[in-house]
Amino acid sequence: MLRTLTRPASITGLIALLIVLLMAVFPSQTLESALRGLSIWWQVLFPALFPFFVISELLLGFGIVHFFGKLLDPLMRPLFRLPGIGSFVVTMGYVSGYPVGARLTAQLWEQGLVKRAEGERLVAFTTTSDPIFLIGAVSVGFFHNAALAPVLAAAHYGGAFIIGLLMRFHDRHEPVTESLRRAPSRRSSRLVEATKAMHEARLMDGRSLGKLLQDSIQSALRLMMVVGGLVVFFSVVMELLTHAGVVEALAEGLRLLFGAVGLPAKLADAIVFGLFEVTLGARAAGEAGTGLMHQAAIAAWILSWGGLSVHAQVLSLLSRTDLRYMPLMLARLAHAFISVALVYLLWGWLAP
């Protein structure tokens, strides 16, 4: 038993030692990649995510989550086997992108509003790209083709919806959150009940507006520091693996596989980069020049997988909960391949 428990720690220690050795061998590349990751965090991620983190904290304190929970429970539970309160996470997750869905799910779990299985279902299909990144950065910035956005959006968000439907079978024997299943009384409408639930939640919170705003900003800043650290770390790791030849070895193996199935070999580089970091992978897909349909399919794969950098961010946010990583990883893989299939299926109707 002890030997089994120490194996993951030993492997992690060896990986950390290898990274330190590579940093010693490539010091200038380490510094440059760290500065590049810091620039991405400060110029792109901080202004994009920080306002959403603050707003989500404020909405939780105001009881808006409970309002949506009571109002949309009849819709969320039959579709996704989730309490109506999950609709708030779905909306914020899709609008603001990863890792906001994981952050909100962790908060709901901490407040006892969702159980473990429900939280795992929720994270599985709310870990998505935000529309601004999909349209502005990927379609316009990397592909220089705004008309590509509809097919990418349909494949990415349509795939997420399918994952949500499939995840309703995850831990099907797990008991539901009974407290969120109370039906409104016959004398009052669901809207009235939802308003009452919001008011009760606000009274239970009890913080003044000033205190709530202060706590929201402090919490969002702490979270942004974690996100920034992970972005810098993975930027350095990708650069070190590139100079050590690991990325090229992985890409060469994928080129052989792609050639065997008839896909352009140049797309292998985008897959390898996207395996670790979504921005690098999406940029490589846009620059591959192997045919727009295949490039769009690989970009959809990368956006839906999210990259190990996003996975690490989600794991850091879920570290204080009992939510497991394996359901998330399997859902990301399934989402990635479903999105690829949707690109090919929808290309005839939505192709630019």
Side-chain angles (χ1 to χ4, degrees):
M1 180 67 177
L2 180 60
R3 186 178 302 174
T4 302
L5 291 174
T6 56
R7 284 176 185 172
S10 301
I11 295 173
T12 303
L14 290 174
I15 293 174
L17 179 60
L18 177 61
I19 293 174
V20 171
L21 292 176
L22 289 174
M23 291 174 65
V25 175
F26 304 107
S28 60
Q29 291 85 351
T30 299
L31 178 60
E32 292 173 3
S33 59
L35 291 174
R36 185 164 56 249
L38 187 62
S39 176
I40 292 173
W41 172 74
W42 178 249
Q43 296 180 7
V44 179
L45 295 180
F46 193 95
L49 292 179
F50 180 73
F52 283 103
F53 286 151
V54 174
I55 291 172
S56 63
E57 292 277 352
L58 289 173
L59 293 178
L60 283 168
F62 284 130
I64 301 296
V65 177
H66 296 76
F67 176 84
F68 281 107
K70 180 66 70 173
L71 192 65
L72 297 177
D73 194 71
L75 176 66
M76 293 293 292
R77 195 167 292 278
L79 281 178
F80 308 115
R81 287 190 67 216
L82 288 170
I85 210 165
S87 61
F88 175 76
V89 181
V90 175
T91 302
M92 293 296 294
Y94 282 22
V95 169
S96 42
Y98 18 64
V100 173
R103 168 63 171 172
L104 295 175
T105 301
Q107 289 178 304
L108 295 185
W109 181 90
E110 290 170 357
Q111 296 177 15
L113 300 176
V114 295
K115 298 181 183 295
R116 183 177 73 174
E118 294 168 336
E120 290 170 352
R121 294 185 202 118
L122 198 51
V123 172
F125 79 106
T126 59
T127 304
T128 61
S129 170
D130 63 278
I132 295 176
F133 179 76
L134 187 148
I135 298 171
V138 179
S139 301
V140 177
F142 301 153
F143 282 85
H144 309 290
N145 190 345
L148 187 64
V151 67
L152 280 180
H156 182 60
Y157 297 112
F161 180 78
I162 293 173
I163 290 298
L165 296 177
L166 294 175
M167 284 298 292
R168 73 186 311 277
F169 301 104
H170 169 64
D171 276 1
R172 65 178 68 184
H173 301 298
E174 182 77 13
V176 296
T177 308
E178 295 291 342
S179 60
L180 298 179
R181 298 190 65 184
R182 293 178 298 178
S185 62
R186 296 180 179 178
R187 295 183 179 180
S188 60
S189 66
R190 186 167 292 275
L191 181 61
V192 172
E193 291 290 328
T195 305
K196 289 181 179 179
M198 179 179 68
H199 180 65
E200 291 173 0
R202 178 68 186 125
L203 292 177
M204 288 181 63
D205 184 272
R207 288 175 292 178
S208 65
L209 177 60
K211 176 62 174 173
L212 182 59
L213 182 60
Q214 177 184 343
D215 292 346
S216 299
I217 292 175
Q218 290 177 345
S219 176
L221 284 174
R222 287 194 297 267
L223 180 55
M224 286 307 307
M225 294 301 293
V226 173
V227 171
L230 288 169
V231 170
V232 172
F233 173 76
F234 273 92
S235 177
V236 170
V237 169
M238 278 299 302
E239 187 72 14
L240 294 176
L241 292 180
T242 300
H243 282 82
V246 176
V247 171
E248 179 60 28
L250 291 173
E252 185 61 32
L254 278 178
R255 290 187 195 109
L256 296 175
L257 178 62
F258 279 21
V261 299
L263 288 174
K266 289 184 178 180
L267 291 175
D269 294 339
I271 287 287
V272 173
F273 282 115
L275 181 67
F276 291 93
E277 214 284 316
V278 62
T279 306
L280 297 176
R283 180 185 289 114
E287 297 172 351
T290 56
L292 189 58
M293 182 174 66
H294 295 311
Q295 290 175 253
I298 295 302
W301 191 96
I302 293 166
L303 287 170
S304 301
W305 164 250
L308 292 179
S309 176
V310 169
H311 288 227
Q313 294 173 34
V314 172
L315 277 174
S316 69
L317 295 172
L318 301 180
S319 60
R320 295 184 179 180
T321 72
D322 63 353
L323 274 64
R324 298 164 294 186
Y325 171 64
M326 188 57 65
L328 168 68
M329 188 190 73
L330 295 177
R332 294 296 89 233
L333 279 174
H335 186 190
F337 287 107
I338 290 173
S339 297
V340 170
L342 288 176
V343 167
Y344 288 121
L345 288 172
L346 299 173
W347 192 259
W349 291 280
L350 300 176

